[in-house]
Amino acid sequence: MKTFVRLIFAMLLASCASYGPYHANTAAEPLNSIRGPSDGRYKFAFIEFGDQGSALDTSQRAAAINVIRQAQRPLLFVYIHGWMNNAVSGDVCRFEHFIDMVSRLPEVTHGKINVIGVYIAWRGKDLAVPGLDLLTFWNRKSTGGEVAAQNSCLATINELALTARDPGKQVHHCVLMGHSFGGLVLSNTISHSILDASSTGARNASPWDMAVAFNPADNAIGTRQLMSELDYLYQYDPSRGAYVGRAPGAEEGAAMNENRPLLIVLQSENDQATGKFFPIGQSLANTVNLHYHWDKVPVPGSNGQKVSEGELQTHTPGNDKYLVNFRVVPLGEAAPPADLKTYENRAFEANIRQNVRGRTFFTSEKNNGHEKQFCRGPDYNPNETRPPTGNEDWRQWEFVYSGNARVPCWIVRVPKDIIWGHGGLWSDNSVAMFGALYRMHFPLNAKGVPAPSQPVRVPKAPDTRKLNEDKLH
């Protein structure tokens, strides 16, 4: 028996993924964490964190900040990967391909926009042996929570965004993205910043412009709390199409366009990892830990309805019926717009090149996994071009409010035709949908140029005497 245990232990030890940093900067290679094509159309940076949330190489952040500092018109995408990935997995290639595709858009090339991608990496892949790596789900979930809870990740995101927003920049946009446990890290990290307060009595504005979590693998407790706080601060004004602060006089101040929420959660309807296995695993863990008592808490936006936190703890935000407030619904077949310049994933360009009307958008491909033939490893060749599929399937969709709290936090159910399963965020249709969300956040002005982004003015606390009891969460 002892021999068998030693053998199992030896197998696990031998199968452990190396720790990193994988892209360390050295005296010989001081910019090893930075890469990009020779024509400079985009820059790509790595910043790696350890299991306790500490930066593994502090020079990586300095190198990324220097790239942003040198850019006059930075369009910054910061991405946090999820489970089964790290700084040398195929997710690196997929994110870099996305950055490259953005850099080739006519709007970007004509406007001389500096596209920058920052890949925030942590050890989401703990074991290298297929099959055994499935055993790391809860260990890596715990690690993702640790990375989010510590200071370094939030400080890094803030510093990157603040550098992009420097007053001397001619254009500046900062977009945060996270997937799976990376979505857990993203939403947990920025939620505190969204509701932060300064010593002047005002609330601090987040330095980034847009945040999107794809299939986040976290329980819904924190998201319910965020939505409740936003419901406390804001009320929806349908006549203005805006979320307006409840504080007296807020109608003249802190109003936010309804199509520019502070956080967007995109949840695939056929994600088995978060929709099926997550509740089973959470329930099993609760049984093992003898966790049976749960408080009842108000449902955001309801008239006093309460639900057990056990319901929220065993479901992710996008799979909890009390939180989902938007759905993507099909509008049928569509014809491709004329004069598209790109040949790959043309719906992405179609959604980007003009302002979104009525929250509708296009997809142009069959969601059949054709992208999987690319990016089998971390390396990406910016000089290669992907051929068109030759099998376009143009369809039109709409983001529709479906009930629950109407606050500047969207929890969106997405059909499998757009995001297939847990890992389908980089499919052509998912990227096309993301393009529509991007344009909603950064609409074009009369000259066809994205208007400069402005800090969100989070309102002061309302006069509680004027609130109904169901709003006092």
Side-chain angles (χ1 to χ4, degrees), residues 41 50 62 164 239 252 266 286 290 296 305 373 385 428 438:
R41 65 180 178 272
S239 65
E252 305 300 326
L266 299 174
N286 292 335
L290 303 178
K296 285 194 172 184
Q305 181 185 7
Q373 61 183 301
T385 56
D428 285 345
Y438 173 89

Side-chain angles (χ1 to χ4, degrees), residues 89-108:
S89 65
D91 224 33
V92 175
C93 173
R94 288 184 281 270
F95 178 51
E96 187 168 359
H97 171 252
F98 167 75
I99 295 299
D100 189 7
M101 188 168 62
V102 171
S103 74
R104 297 174 185 268
L105 289 171
E107 171 190 314
V108 172

